[in-house]
Amino acid sequence: MQDWHLIEKLAHQNRERIPERVVHAKGWGAHGTLKITGDISHLTCARVLQPSTETPMIARFSTVAGEMGAADHERDVRGFALKFYTEEGNWDLAGNNTPVFFVRDPLKFPDFIHTQKRHPRTNLRSPTAMWDFWSLSPESLHQITMLFSDRGLPVSPMHMNGYGSHTYSLWNDKGERVWVKFHFKTRQGHRHYTHAEAEKVIGETREGYQEALFGAIEAGEFPQWTVQVQIMTEAEAGALSFNPFDLTKVWPHAGFPLIEIGMLELNRNPDNYFAEVELLAFSPSNVVRGIGHSPDRMLQGRIFAYADAHRYRLGTHYEALPVNRPRCPVHHYHKDGAMRFFANAASPDAYYEPNSFGGPRQDSAFTEPPLDLNGPAARFDHRDGTDDFSQPRALFELFDAAQKDRLFTNVAAAMRSVPVEIIERQIDLFQQVHPEYGAGVCAALDALDPQF
Ligand code: NDP
């Protein structure tokens, strides 16, 4: 016991793991820069979005369902999370490579994730659970169609778009608010693998995304994305035929054109994966003056859930870790707890607010304009009168014959071993999107198993 070197080494080794993320556990990250080239200064006072501003940032891409050791080239939605170290504090945009999501009500999020994770008895992923939930949740059709289309299996993080997905808001010095969607369009082009190609790749490497992203940046081939926004006024939002705050919907480009505002480039690999990517913590609650939230219920749920996940995963003061802390001075009155290693903000006597000892003061200049709310307060019926079919239909109609065939085959392959009554319920939903969709999946199932 006197060999404390040995004891310290063993004790440290015992503590080398922290809880992995419940979702988005497998990830790949890099540092970069956001450059603003457009001018939306009339819409927002956020300095990060002013013309010619350059802001250091870090990105983390991820799969949703797989654990930390999962293979990179699995069909799954990809996380596309960005942390901007702005002059006014950190702005996080924790989005995906798709503009929509499977559910629109955060109450359903844990249920949905349970269907993507392991079955309690078999400890295996369960296609039955996935299709049971989806076939009982028609709002998932839009995201399912994207997931099983070509874009559901990008060859690398560089070859996919990113979307802020939620509706956020921008506000200016006059206190005027507009709604906004953020888009990040790959400049490397879209590239995807079929199932057969991905199986071959996974047979050769389970770390293809890390190799591609890390390798490209080491070689000086810096991936870039064009940054675009869609803007909607509060009056336009009130007059729409669909709910603009529904995360299962996009804003059609024809009504809400894409406005180019800048360029995102990743140009530096982390020196320490654990310290810079594993400890990296995003939360939609991190906004800066001039950028705000919206009544999107999924966004409201994530404002709580993400920061809460990090407090559990990393500790109370996770925001003070080097990769998470803002690059500008930050003033708060958080006190003790796990990882309280930072100095007092001002005089040690100023540990509450208001105080007479020169501590930082609450400042209403950072408060976003008030949001009018109306209607009865009750649990939201997330299916009430909602059209879950038109937007997946618009997507389906964009696909050419070969893309449709791959969609049908991908869906059918994922349905193997699912009970027939669940398959029939799902095909009925595909049928309502488009008769060709339902028939195509049926034909693909027949081709896999003529008994079907
Ligand atoms: P548009 O014809 O203007 O836009 C179609 C969009 O579809 C393009 O932005 C294209 O993305 C995207 N797309 C093409 N193939 C796929 C795929 N396999 N998976 C996901 N997206 C794909 O029409 P609308 O704006 O009226 O939208 C029609 C449908 O397009 C929507 O219902 C939605 O499903 C889909 N879509 C719309 C987006 C939007 O913000 N309006 C964004 C992404 C998809 P890109 O240009 O980035 O290559």
Side-chain angles (χ1 to χ4, degrees):
M1 296 304 290
Q2 198 175 311
D3 188 353
W4 53 268
H5 281 292
L6 171 66
I7 290 169
E8 286 292 317
K9 279 187 87 163
L10 294 177
H12 270 267
Q13 185 188 30
N14 284 341
R15 289 161 181 78
E16 282 180 3
R17 298 288 170 270
I18 59 172
E20 71 171 37
R21 292 163 164 89
V22 176
V23 285
H24 296 276
K26 182 78 190 276
W28 320 276
H31 297 268
T33 313
L34 171 70
K35 293 181 189 165
I36 299 299
T37 51
D39 187 354
I40 51 169
S41 55
H42 57 297
L43 300 177
T44 178
C45 52
R47 278 195 231 147
V48 59
L49 295 177
Q50 300 309 305
S52 306
T53 302
E54 293 195 14
T55 303
M57 51 80 61
I58 185 164
R60 183 176 183 272
F61 310 105
S62 51
T63 44
V64 179
E67 292 99 356
M68 273 193 85
D72 293 351
H73 284 100
E74 290 184 354
R75 182 169 298 279
D76 199 352
V77 172
R78 265 67 180 161
F80 195 106
L82 310 170
K83 184 184 286 294
F84 301 102
Y85 302 102
T86 91
E87 289 171 34
E88 300 171 295
N90 286 356
W91 170 39
D92 290 359
L93 203 54
N96 280 331
N97 71 330
T98 61
V100 295
F101 195 64
F102 296 94
V103 291
R104 62 168 71 95
D105 184 345
L107 189 69
K108 292 285 114 201
F109 184 73
D111 295 304
F112 165 65
I113 291 301
H114 289 165
T115 71
Q116 301 296 301
K117 294 282 184 175
R118 292 170 188 273
H119 186 281
R121 180 153 183 267
T122 63
N123 199 34
L124 298 169
R125 303 278 297 277
S126 169
T128 296
M130 295 177 200
W131 289 106
D132 189 32
F133 181 88
W134 286 335
S135 65
L136 292 166
S137 311
E139 69 269 28
S140 62
L141 279 165
H142 200 180
Q143 179 74 310
I144 291 174
T145 306
M146 287 186 191
L147 177 62
F148 289 95
S149 77
D150 289 345
R151 290 201 188 179
L153 222 171
V155 305
S156 89
M158 289 96 80
H159 296 95
M160 62 188 196
N161 287 347
Y163 300 90
S165 302
H166 297 288
T167 297
Y168 288 89
S169 54
L170 299 176
W171 48 280
N172 62 19
D173 279 325
K174 292 187 215 150
E176 297 161 335
R177 175 194 285 110
V178 290
W179 306 116
V180 62
K181 293 253 195 209
F182 293 95
H183 301 250
F184 301 84
K185 296 283 179 70
T186 175
R187 291 193 179 180
Q188 290 67 240
H190 289 277
R191 287 185 53 205
H192 318 104
Y193 281 137
T194 62
H195 267 285
E197 288 166 338
E199 276 173 16
K200 191 167 171 296
V201 171
I202 292 172
E204 289 161 3
T205 175
R206 296 172 61 78
E207 315 295 341
Y209 273 39
Q210 180 68 12
E211 289 163 5
L213 180 64
F214 190 87
I217 294 174
E218 285 299 279
E221 293 158 17
F222 301 143
Q224 296 180 336
W225 286 263
T226 300
V227 185
Q228 300 167 330
V229 290
Q230 286 177 291
I231 301 294
M232 185 186 287
T233 63
E234 289 184 283
E236 284 171 323
L240 277 181
S241 61
F242 65 92
N243 178 358
F245 310 114
D246 175 350
L247 186 56
T248 68
K249 302 278 192 298
V250 295
W251 296 357
H253 292 142
F256 304 95
L258 294 165
I259 302 164
E260 183 170 329
I261 61 161
M263 196 268 283
L264 188 74
E265 178 183 88
L266 299 183
N267 44 33
R268 182 164 63 87
N269 276 318
D271 289 324
N272 183 305
Y273 179 89
F274 186 84
E276 291 162 71
V277 183
E278 190 56 18
L279 296 185
L280 181 54
F282 299 93
S283 173
S285 51
N286 283 339
V287 288
V288 289
R289 186 172 182 272
I291 302 175
H293 301 104
S294 83
D296 175 340
R297 285 166 170 84
M298 285 294 289
L299 175 59
Q300 295 284 327
R302 293 178 75 211
I303 288 170
F304 161 72
Y306 276 57
D308 185 59
H310 302 311
R311 282 188 280 269
Y312 163 69
R313 195 173 69 85
L314 304 175
T316 310
H317 293 293
Y318 71 93
E319 286 167 302
L321 291 168
V323 75
N324 295 326
R325 72 170 176 243
R327 305 282 166 85
C328 63
V330 166
H331 308 292
H332 58 72
Y333 285 90
H334 296 330
K335 204 162 175 285
D336 303 336
M339 294 198 296
R340 171 59 210 245
F341 56 81
F342 45 89
N344 296 324
S347 140
D349 294 322
Y351 55 94
Y352 50 87
E353 204 280 341
N355 65 69
S356 317
F357 303 103
R361 286 202 302 268
Q362 192 173 315
D363 185 349
S364 61
F366 292 85
T367 309
E368 73 173 85
L371 181 65
D372 283 338
L373 292 175
N374 54 51
R379 168 137 288 286
F380 173 56
D381 178 355
H382 71 281
R383 300 236 170 85
D384 198 12
T386 314
D387 170 6
D388 292 317
F389 302 100
S390 298
Q391 291 208 354
R393 184 176 308 127
L395 178 64
F396 182 78
E397 287 172 347
L398 286 175
F399 298 159
D400 62 25
Q403 288 172 312
K404 284 178 185 164
D405 274 347
R406 290 194 290 273
L407 169 70
F408 303 149
T409 315
N410 292 336
V411 169
M415 283 180 162
R416 268 188 287 218
S417 80
V418 175
V420 73
E421 61 275 14
I422 293 178
I423 294 183
E424 282 173 355
R425 193 165 57 209
Q426 184 66 46
I427 286 177
D428 180 56
L429 292 179
F430 289 146
Q431 200 78 26
Q432 292 180 64
V433 174
H434 200 292
E436 196 189 340
Y437 197 171
V441 173
C442 277
L445 283 163
D446 275 340
L448 275 180
D449 177 5
Q451 301 296 316
F452 177 73

